[in-house]
Amino acid sequence: MTTSHRKTFNGNFSEEKYQNFLSQLDEGYPKITFRVAESPLFIPDDLKQKLIRAGEEIIRTIKQPNFKSLTQKSIPGNWEVPNENDHPHFLTFDFGLCKNANGEIVPMLIELQGFPSLYGFQSHLANTYKKAYQLDPNLTPYFNGLTDQSYFDLLKKVIVGPHDPKEVVLMDVDAPNQKTAIDFFVTASKIGIKILSIEDITQEGKKLYYVDGDEKTQIKRIYNRLIFDEVASDTSIFNKGFDPRAALDVEWITHPNWFYRISKYTMPFLNGEFVPETKFLNEVDTIPTDLENYVLKPLFSFAGMGVIIDVQPEDIAKITDPENWVLQRKVSYEPVVQSPSGGVKAEIRLMYLWPDGEEPQLCINLARLSRGKMIGVRYNADFDWVGGTVGLMDDTP
């Protein structure tokens, strides 16, 4: 997947430019605590078209009339939130870049979520790469002809809707100190909403409020960045603010139930050219003899925790809740990015916005570079040319 942009970038790359890029990236924002890769990912048009098709295949399943009934068991009983809406406002699909039998680079689905990702930061990241490395100004991280202006207009439409921005808050546990806090601050600066930790919010009856100086404001919408998995072992945090599982007079963007409905749980219901064979473990009649070609994933885990890459029969035998696991055919990443020190594997996250009353729209992307066994910071701590990045494409329809 060597493009003219890659050749130009590598020919002009230096460690000094990379350090300058990092300095520009968090200027005026909280310091970034995750690794950002030395380079963007350059996406050629043929791969872009495959990604678009892959996403459309998945969305067809999500839009099926019976999708909610198919995924009702995905929501743990103690984490179900009332007043669920008809569809998520965010969709994110992660694809590994692989090589098919014809030698073509193709996307293969790894995971998917009905939950927001770094929708603010990715735009800032793309612009900083372009500025710091003096890249072609026509390169874009956006799909569907979006620009910085039209993208953030759409993001504001989805998150704020008809409300006054001061009535809409971005919420997480200890939000200003989260690992991805820079995304929160970029988003807040672009659409004018408050960033609040859960303990900054008080409940009166079914209504939620926050206080800013002498002004007390009712919260009409929550841009939810709280992942229940992160607080499941200690819910005492709710005593300091409010319990999100209560019946509240507030709108969720997006509703927490969609985090579970659109997840690893969805994958066994998907079929298509870009989806690896995936089955609920309790529905696997015969354990494959080539287990080395499979990966075992717990349904209710976050950020790759609990995944078994080198599956052994005894791993399967000791699982007592097979209905909460999937057995997935392993995806073999191709080292598609040429770095100064060899090939690097890549993953692309397609990021959609789904406004109320409209269709989901593919907007922007996130990419990750890896040399480790898995994509993710914890698996790539000792390498260079790895970490979070963004895919840049030629600005064509």
Side-chain angles (χ1 to χ4, degrees), residues 280-292:
F280 293 111
L281 188 57
N282 65 321
E283 295 180 1
V284 175
D285 296 324
T286 305
I287 302 301
T289 55
D290 59 337
L291 274 179
E292 68 274 9

Side-chain angles (χ1 to χ4, degrees), residues 1 96-100 103-106 331-338 343-347 370:
M1 202 178 76
L97 296 187
C98 309
K99 184 180 283 187
N100 66 12
E104 301 170 326
I105 300 302
V106 295
V331 167
S332 179
Y333 289 74
E334 183 73 9
V336 296
V337 176
Q338 294 306 310
V344 180
K345 296 175 286 187
E347 189 171 285
S370 172

Side-chain angles (χ1 to χ4, degrees), residues 113-161:
Q113 287 186 335
F115 190 79
S117 186
L118 306 183
Y119 280 82
F121 177 67
Q122 288 307 111
S123 172
H124 172 62
L125 178 60
N127 286 332
T128 308
Y129 272 123
K130 289 168 68 176
K131 178 183 175 183
Y133 288 106
Q134 298 180 312
L135 303 181
D136 184 341
N138 291 317
L139 286 168
T140 179
Y142 300 115
F143 296 86
N144 291 308
L146 288 169
T147 63
D148 283 352
Q149 183 66 52
S150 60
Y151 171 68
F152 280 105
D153 285 347
L154 180 59
L155 187 64
K156 185 172 183 178
K157 176 182 177 180
V158 170
I159 295 175
V160 178

Side-chain angles (χ1 to χ4, degrees), residues 192-240:
I193 62 175
K194 295 282 291 185
I195 301 169
L196 297 180
S197 299
I198 195 166
E199 58 264 38
D200 296 326
I201 299 172
T202 58
Q203 181 178 346
E204 297 179 15
K206 291 187 175 183
K207 293 181 174 12
L208 300 177
Y209 298 88
Y210 71 91
V211 175
D212 188 8
D214 296 328
E215 185 178 7
K216 179 179 176 181
T217 302
Q218 184 185 347
I219 299 169
K220 302 291 183 64
R221 272 189 175 184
I222 295 175
Y223 175 33
N224 181 45
R225 302 301 299 269
L226 170 65
I227 295 174
F228 287 159
D229 291 26
E230 294 182 337
V231 298
S233 61
D234 182 10
T235 58
S236 63
I237 188 72
F238 297 158
N239 299 329
K240 300 175 183 177

Side-chain angles (χ1 to χ4, degrees), residues 45-105:
D45 188 64
D46 61 336
L47 177 58
K48 174 184 174 181
Q49 298 308 319
K50 290 186 181 83
L51 287 163
I52 292 170
R53 281 181 16 230
E56 288 172 347
E57 287 180 358
I58 299 167
I59 287 173
R60 279 196 290 272
T61 298
I62 292 171
K63 292 182 69 179
Q64 288 178 182
N66 65 339
F67 185 75
K68 277 198 173 185
S69 61
L70 283 176
T71 57
Q72 188 55 39
K73 290 181 181 179
S74 69
I75 306 170
N78 60 325
W79 291 109
E80 188 166 8
V81 176
N83 303 320
E84 183 182 323
N85 63 333
D86 292 335
H87 64 77
H89 296 92
F90 305 91
L91 293 170
T92 64
F93 306 150
D94 290 352
F95 295 92
L97 296 187
C98 309
K99 184 180 283 187
N100 66 12
N102 298 322
E104 301 170 326
I105 300 302

